[in-house]
Amino acid sequence: MTELRHRGPAETDLQAADDFRGLDKDGAPDGDAHSDSEAKGDTGLPDVPVPPDDTPQVLNKALSGLSSRWKNWWVRGILTLAMISFFFFIIYLGPMVLMMIVLCVQIKCFQEIITIGYSVYHSYHLPWFRTLSWYFLLCVNYFFYGETVTDYFFTLVQREEPLRILSKYHRFISFALYLTGFCMFVLSLVKKHYRLQFYMFGWTHVTLLIVVTQSHLIIHNLFEGMIWFIVPISCVICNDIMAYMFGFFFGRTPLIKLSPKKTWEGFVGGFFSTVVFGILLSYVMAGYRYFVCPVEFNSDSNSFTVDCQPSELFQLQEYPLPAVLQSLTGWATVHMYPFQIHSIALSAFASIVGPFGGFFASGFKRAFKIKDFANTIPGHGGIMDRFDCQYLMATFVNVYIASFIRGPNPSKVIQQLLALRLDQQLQIFNSLKAHLTERGLLPANEVAA
Amino acid sequence: MTELRKRGGGEPASAEKEADGEERLALGLGLAGEPDGEAEGDSKADTPEAPPSVDNTPQCLSKALEGLSSRWRNWWIRGILSLTMICLFFLIIYLGPIMLIIGVMVVQIKCFQEIITIGYRVYHSYELPWFRTLSWFFLICANYFFYGETVADYFGVLVQKEEPLQFLVRYHRFISFTLYLTGFCMFVLSLVKKHYRLQFYMFAWTHVTLLIVVTQSHLVIQNLFEGMIWFIVPISIVICNDITAYLFGFFFGRTPLIKLSPKKTWEGFIGGFVSTVIFGFILAYPLAHYQYFVCPVEYDSETNRFAVACQPSELFLLHEYRPPKLLQQFLRQETVTLFPFQIHSVALSTFASLIGPFGGFFASGFKRAFKIKDFADTIPGHGGIMDRFDCQYLMATFVHVYIASFIRGPNPSKVLQQLLLLQPEQQRSIFNLLRSHLREKGMLPPTGSQAQ
């Protein structure tokens, strides 16, 4: 996502050789690529091959007349629109397709990062290593999907006997699978390649930590209600585009040494426009049940349903405006959804802290001297390039929901309750009864045990 | 712990190129040339020469043993230190749960520091700006997160009483995440032009270390809260496995086990397995009698202390079992009276003997990869704290998963806490569900009053 914030047009695309150093201001000597290797004697870094031009033929023909700078602009613009349309399309298709897409994106990101690790460490010939990386990815996904399925598909799981056993011993099975991988790793250690193998082991685990856990947090957010999936992602996309635009037109003061093309004007402009965009988008979306209701699995129809009584968060309320805004707009009160206020918090995070995810990815690319994570999307780079800011956002939304919005998941609580011993259940029953009676939710004449 | 399994009494040949003739003979595998410097294939030029091990042996021991030959001297130092550590272990158990938790925390911090120091040396990253601060900051964040979850789970009553604690518990995840993010942003801001790769390496190194060291130490503490026996028996089993595998290897060892640790032998492995199973079985018997070991540790909010008193669960009540025919003849008894826990201890011992060593091999491979002899020099004759605890980590996770899958259900106070956070209609529907469930099971008398 760093490319979107060019201060000036991307002249560097003119020369393939400059592609590696294209992240610096034009004309500035690219100190860091050389000095990084000289200072530390990192002799192991390969020359990453120049990425082939992936632009489809049709686009190439249509744009063959323009100069290289505008060509790049157009390619990037068209691909952006294509991705956004694709995003809308998947939302239309529903939660199941969204989950599958999240899984695909996760696998692609994992593959991109692992491939970088391979090329950095020349570890293509390491025995077993590819197998082990994919095996660990499978294990971790099995663990997380199992937990998700157990939480949200409780009734389905109780019905089917094999699923019930898998769910009861889920942690044990996952741990056994992981241990198998661990032992295979230890047995695969080869005399001359110990360090390499440990590096790749560490690399795989950190990648799993970043990529897989966060994709599962996204799925948890999705189950809360599609709006908790759509609004954060849209805010991050909007922030990128807006910051780019503001930087393009008004950019003057550099923001951070790490990404010299980012500017304060872009940053601040992006912040304000994202907050406004978030408020407007939430207003539109909060009206529809399809977006607002928690996704539930209907065990009778065996499909996902999104139907419910919207919670207070998604019901219009009147708020009195502060005096300043009253005089500006002439309104005394304004009708808003409480969710819109939360969206301000989400937008603020996306604009202020989200970019640090982008800087982290920039630093990573500079550290390993690569221009993009991969070449999947013409003009944009790899999938990871597009999703680097999203990761922090996904975790933040999940923590935000858990802390400020909802309590625990009721079906999960039921599941845990039924797993307790009977005397413990009785104890809890009595505590609950006392609590409910106190609150007046149970009539006083309700007599049970 | 790999050193305990030497076939002979000498140290591995890495640091001392001028090996004793005796040690070479004792090694006897014909692998005298077993090069620890086989890093030719790992052509990273920046691996440092590990500084020669400092001899940490206290003066008094050195004097007492100066008469003996080097091989026996080493044996004696190692033996005395082993006994000292075992006594320390007993002392801490006697002192109670709070000391154990503090002990676990101290061990965790020391292990973290050892591994991070190795990272520094490997990458010459002493001069990196901020890096030490950031590593320790991340350690504090991770510990804050985990200890906060533990406190919220087990000290529910205390937490409800104090207002600031309530606030911290309610927003615990958010606060932990904010702390972590602060560290993350500091890391990004600290990236320096010439040192990007190094900084990323150290960042990853720190995170993997946290993953290994901190999560497992918290699993150890959770096991402890289940009952001190779930802490003592696994640790003792791993120690026993190490010692008995070493002894069997020493006396009977002949066939090498794995290329990675050439001093380990199949005889040691199998002998260790059988003796550990027996040891675990026997150890479980006396411990299971005492409430002090068997009861879940609870925090008594009136006396503000830990209390271990309860009705022992069925696991710790003597049952009669009919052994298979063969054993019946052998024992000349029809039935045996056992604690069910002893059968679980067989499972734990099996894991400790069969899979636990892989943790040791992993640590060996790590030391060879980075060309170090020991993680640190804290314990004379044994190396660093990490050297002693490398096999324990897999064990701690296994015991935790084992307990969660086979022994107990969820923690009732935690379930109640979650229940109270739900919406009232959800609480009511759960109440009704629970009531019909309990009625079905006969725990509640069926009454005429109607459910709502």
Side-chain angles (χ1 to χ4, degrees):
Chain A
M1 296 203 152
T2 56
E3 276 80 331
L4 279 183
R5 295 219 183 105
H6 291 164
R7 276 190 60 215
E11 238 111 27
T12 50
D13 288 291
L14 288 174
Q15 296 143 31
D18 273 359
D19 276 354
F20 293 110
R21 300 175 275 169
L23 297 169
D24 279 333
K25 286 198 234 198
D26 300 339
D30 186 30
D32 68 331
H34 294 307
S35 49
D36 211 5
S37 55
E38 278 151 13
K40 293 301 149 196
D42 291 329
T43 50
L45 268 187
D47 263 337
V48 179
V50 177
D53 189 8
D54 240 7
T55 331
Q57 267 306 99
V58 53
L59 271 183
N60 264 334
K61 263 212 218 152
L63 303 170
S64 54
L66 301 167
S67 79
S68 174
R69 158 186 164 182
W70 284 108
K71 178 174 182 227
N72 192 62
W73 223 91
W74 273 104
V75 168
R76 185 172 280 129
I78 291 176
L79 259 305
T80 308
L81 283 173
M83 289 192 290
I84 293 180
S85 314
F86 184 65
F87 181 47
F88 286 152
F89 181 58
I90 318 174
I91 292 175
Y92 172 72
L93 286 179
M96 193 77 187
V97 177
L98 270 170
M99 268 175 56
M100 288 198 313
I101 298 286
V102 169
L103 183 64
C104 289
V105 166
Q106 177 207 104
I107 292 179
K108 191 72 178 66
C109 288
F110 183 79
Q111 191 230 345
E112 285 178 6
I113 300 182
I114 292 290
T115 310
I116 292 175
Y118 287 155
S119 50
V120 170
Y121 291 112
H122 307 288
S123 51
Y124 286 108
H125 50 276
L126 274 187
W128 282 95
F129 199 69
R130 283 182 178 233
T131 320
L132 273 175
S133 304
W134 290 104
Y135 180 80
F136 280 127
L137 177 69
L138 260 166
C139 281
V140 179
N141 268 314
Y142 175 77
F143 172 68
F144 278 117
Y145 273 106
E147 299 261 307
T148 311
V149 165
T150 315
D151 284 351
Y152 291 101
F153 294 83
F154 184 60
T155 41
L156 173 69
V157 165
Q158 291 298 89
R159 259 194 335 209
E160 312 279 341
E161 186 60 27
L163 282 186
R164 208 173 58 82
I165 294 184
L166 280 182
S167 147
K168 191 161 143 64
Y169 298 110
H170 180 251
R171 288 203 175 178
F172 191 75
I173 296 173
S174 310
F175 184 61
L177 285 176
Y178 177 80
L179 271 188
T180 315
F182 183 84
C183 295
M184 289 197 314
F185 169 71
V186 171
L187 292 172
S188 78
L189 287 173
V190 173
K191 215 180 200 184
K192 288 201 190 1
H193 301 293
Y194 289 145
R195 246 167 63 126
L196 225 59
Q197 290 180 294
F198 272 94
Y199 279 158
M200 292 310 294
F201 185 80
W203 190 289
T204 305
H205 278 69
V206 176
T207 310
L208 283 175
L209 196 68
I210 298 176
V211 173
V212 179
T213 53
Q214 318 242 18
S215 72
H216 280 273
L217 292 179
I218 291 182
I219 291 181
H220 275 273
N221 296 345
L222 182 72
F223 272 99
E224 263 319 289
M226 303 230 304
I227 201 173
W228 292 104
F229 173 80
I230 298 171
V231 167
I233 290 188
S234 312
C235 284
V236 174
I237 294 175
C238 168
N239 186 51
D240 264 357
I241 296 176
M242 288 295 135
Y244 174 66
M245 296 282 177
F246 275 86
F248 187 79
F249 290 116
F250 308 115
R252 206 155 292 128
T253 339
L255 180 62
I256 186 173
K257 281 196 318 290
L258 190 53
S259 295
K261 291 199 188 71
K262 296 210 177 19
T263 60
W264 276 101
E265 289 83 5
F267 185 73
V268 173
F271 169 65
F272 281 112
S273 19
T274 307
V275 169
V276 169
F277 172 80
I279 293 179
L280 293 174
L281 180 71
S282 325
Y283 186 76
V284 167
M285 290 204 146
Y288 297 94
R289 281 207 194 154
Y290 182 68
F291 296 126
V292 150
C293 291
V295 174
E296 274 163 31
F297 184 73
N298 191 317
S299 46
D300 306 310
S301 61
N302 266 4
S303 67
F304 287 103
T305 51
V306 260
D307 201 14
C308 67
Q309 193 61 255
S311 81
E312 292 161 12
L313 218 54
F314 301 105
Q315 288 168 2
L316 277 171
Q317 297 192 9
E318 280 198 40
Y319 290 95
L321 278 179
V324 172
L325 282 177
Q326 271 190 17
S327 47
L328 259 184
T329 55
W331 293 331
T333 61
V334 66
H335 289 270
M336 278 190 357
Y337 295 101
F339 179 75
Q340 289 181 272
I341 302 179
H342 290 295
S343 81
I344 297 180
L346 299 183
S347 311
F349 182 88
S351 321
I352 299 178
V353 185
F356 279 88
F359 300 151
F360 186 86
S362 283
F364 181 84
K365 287 188 284 191
R366 283 172 187 275
F368 294 97
K369 301 209 200 41
I370 53 181
K371 178 172 184 284
D372 287 322
F373 280 92
N375 246 359
T376 322
I377 312 176
H380 289 270
I383 300 271
M384 196 64 202
D385 285 293
R386 289 282 65 87
F387 284 87
D388 54 16
C389 296
Q390 300 282 1
Y391 281 120
L392 277 182
M393 191 71 195
T395 316
F396 176 74
V397 172
N398 189 279
V399 171
Y400 190 86
I401 294 177
S403 304
F404 298 114
I405 310 290
R406 70 157 163 89
N409 180 13
S411 57
K412 187 171 188 178
V413 177
I414 293 176
Q415 180 199 349
Q416 289 182 319
L417 253 183
L418 296 175
L420 288 172
R421 292 200 309 264
L422 284 173
D423 56 321
Q424 292 170 322
Q425 288 178 6
L426 192 59
Q427 211 179 352
I428 290 185
F429 177 77
N430 290 329
S431 312
L432 184 60
K433 186 168 70 157
H435 175 83
L436 287 177
T437 319
E438 213 183 282
R439 295 286 192 88
L441 289 166
L442 274 183
N445 62 0
E446 183 79 15
V447 175
Chain B
M1 295 200 152
T2 55
E3 276 82 330
L4 279 183
R5 293 214 185 105
K6 278 199 260 313
R7 281 190 58 217
E11 287 106 358
S14 65
E16 295 156 310
K17 297 298 178 197
E18 58 343 286
D20 250 0
E22 269 190 334
E23 287 177 67
R24 286 297 175 90
L25 277 180
L27 285 178
L29 283 171
L31 293 178
E34 160 49 20
D36 247 331
E38 74 269 341
E40 291 83 7
D42 297 327
S43 57
K44 301 290 175 243
D46 49 347
T47 318
E49 281 294 318
S53 321
V54 172
D55 190 6
N56 249 347
T57 331
Q59 270 304 98
C60 52
L61 272 182
S62 287
K63 263 213 222 153
L65 302 170
E66 64 191 356
L68 302 166
S69 79
S70 173
R71 164 182 164 185
W72 284 107
R73 176 164 179 251
N74 194 60
W75 224 91
W76 273 103
I77 291 179
R78 185 169 280 128
I80 291 175
L81 260 304
S82 301
L83 283 173
T84 315
M85 290 192 289
I86 293 176
C87 294
L88 186 67
F89 183 46
F90 286 153
L91 178 70
I92 306 183
I93 293 173
Y94 173 73
L95 286 176
I98 199 126
M99 283 305 296
L100 273 168
I101 294 177
I102 295 179
V104 168
M105 179 131 186
V106 166
V107 166
Q108 175 208 109
I109 294 179
K110 192 70 179 62
C111 287
F112 183 79
Q113 191 231 346
E114 285 179 6
I115 300 182
I116 292 289
T117 310
I118 292 176
Y120 287 155
R121 277 211 308 250
V122 170
Y123 291 112
H124 306 289
S125 52
Y126 286 109
E127 74 276 6
L128 274 188
W130 283 95
F131 198 71
R132 284 181 176 233
T133 320
L134 275 174
S135 303
W136 290 103
F137 182 80
F138 282 126
L139 177 70
I140 293 175
C141 282
N143 269 312
Y144 175 76
F145 174 67
F146 280 114
Y147 273 106
E149 300 259 309
T150 312
V151 166
D153 283 352
Y154 291 102
F155 294 83
V157 176
L158 173 70
V159 165
Q160 296 300 333
K161 271 194 316 201
E162 312 278 341
E163 186 58 33
L165 281 186
Q166 243 191 17
F167 176 78
L168 283 181
V169 165
R170 206 174 134 70
Y171 298 111
H172 180 251
R173 287 203 177 180
F174 191 74
I175 295 173
S176 311
F177 183 62
T178 313
L179 285 176
Y180 177 80
L181 271 188
T182 315
F184 183 84
C185 295
M186 290 198 315
F187 169 72
V188 171
L189 292 172
S190 78
L191 288 174
V192 174
K193 214 175 194 186
K194 289 194 191 359
H195 303 292
Y196 289 145
R197 243 169 62 126
L198 225 59
Q199 291 180 292
F200 272 94
Y201 279 158
M202 292 311 295
F203 185 80
W205 191 288
T206 305
H207 278 68
V208 176
T209 311
L210 283 175
L211 197 68
I212 298 176
V213 173
V214 178
T215 53
Q216 319 239 19
S217 74
H218 280 273
L219 293 179
V220 169
I221 290 180
Q222 297 218 344
N223 295 345
L224 182 74
F225 272 99
E226 259 325 284
M228 306 232 299
I229 201 172
W230 291 104
F231 174 80
I232 297 171
V233 167
I235 290 187
S236 314
I237 287 178
V238 173
I239 294 175
C240 166
N241 187 50
D242 264 358
I243 294 177
T244 48
Y246 172 65
L247 291 173
F248 273 87
F250 186 78
F251 289 115
F252 308 116
R254 206 155 293 125
T255 340
L257 179 61
I258 186 173
K259 281 196 317 291
L260 189 55
S261 295
K263 293 195 190 76
K264 296 209 177 17
T265 59
W266 276 101
E267 289 82 7
F269 186 71
I270 295 180
F273 170 59
V274 174
S275 25
T276 306
V277 169
I278 297 176
F279 172 78
F281 195 78
I282 296 178
L283 177 70
Y285 189 77
L287 287 182
H289 280 106
Y290 297 94
Q291 278 191 8
Y292 182 67
F293 295 125
V294 148
C295 290
V297 174
E298 272 160 32
Y299 184 75
D300 193 273
S301 49
E302 283 115 50
T303 60
N304 267 3
R305 296 176 57 245
F306 286 103
V308 261
C310 65
Q311 194 61 256
S313 80
E314 293 160 16
L315 218 53
F316 302 104
L317 296 172
L318 283 170
H319 281 149
E320 286 203 12
Y321 289 96
R322 298 187 146 283
K325 287 278 184 204
L326 279 172
L327 275 180
Q328 275 189 9
Q329 288 171 355
F330 182 66
L331 296 170
R332 271 165 283 150
Q333 273 178 298
E334 290 250 323
T335 61
V336 278
T337 346
L338 285 183
F339 293 102
F341 179 73
Q342 289 179 277
I343 303 182
H344 289 296
S345 83
V346 170
L348 298 182
S349 311
T350 312
F351 182 86
S353 320
L354 296 181
I355 310 281
F358 279 89
F361 299 151
F362 186 86
S364 282
F366 181 84
K367 286 188 286 192
R368 283 171 188 279
F370 294 99
K371 298 204 211 45
I372 53 181
K373 176 174 182 283
D374 286 320
F375 279 91
D377 273 313
T378 322
I379 311 176
H382 289 269
I385 301 271
M386 196 62 202
D387 285 293
R388 289 282 65 85
F389 284 86
D390 53 18
C391 295
Q392 299 281 2
Y393 281 120
L394 278 182
M395 191 69 193
T397 317
F398 176 76
V399 173
H400 183 84
V401 171
Y402 190 85
I403 293 178
S405 304
F406 299 112
I407 309 290
R408 68 160 165 85
N411 180 12
S413 56
K414 188 172 187 178
V415 177
L416 185 61
Q417 186 192 351
Q418 288 184 319
L419 254 183
L420 295 176
L421 285 175
L422 289 173
Q423 304 289 329
E425 320 80 61
Q426 293 168 324
Q427 288 179 349
R428 259 228 304 258
S429 67
I430 291 183
F431 177 77
N432 291 330
L433 185 101
L434 188 58
R435 188 176 49 187
S436 48
H437 176 81
L438 286 175
R439 281 204 185 129
E440 230 179 296
K441 298 281 183 169
M443 297 290 293
L444 282 178
T447 63
S449 49
Q450 292 308 304
Q452 280 179 303

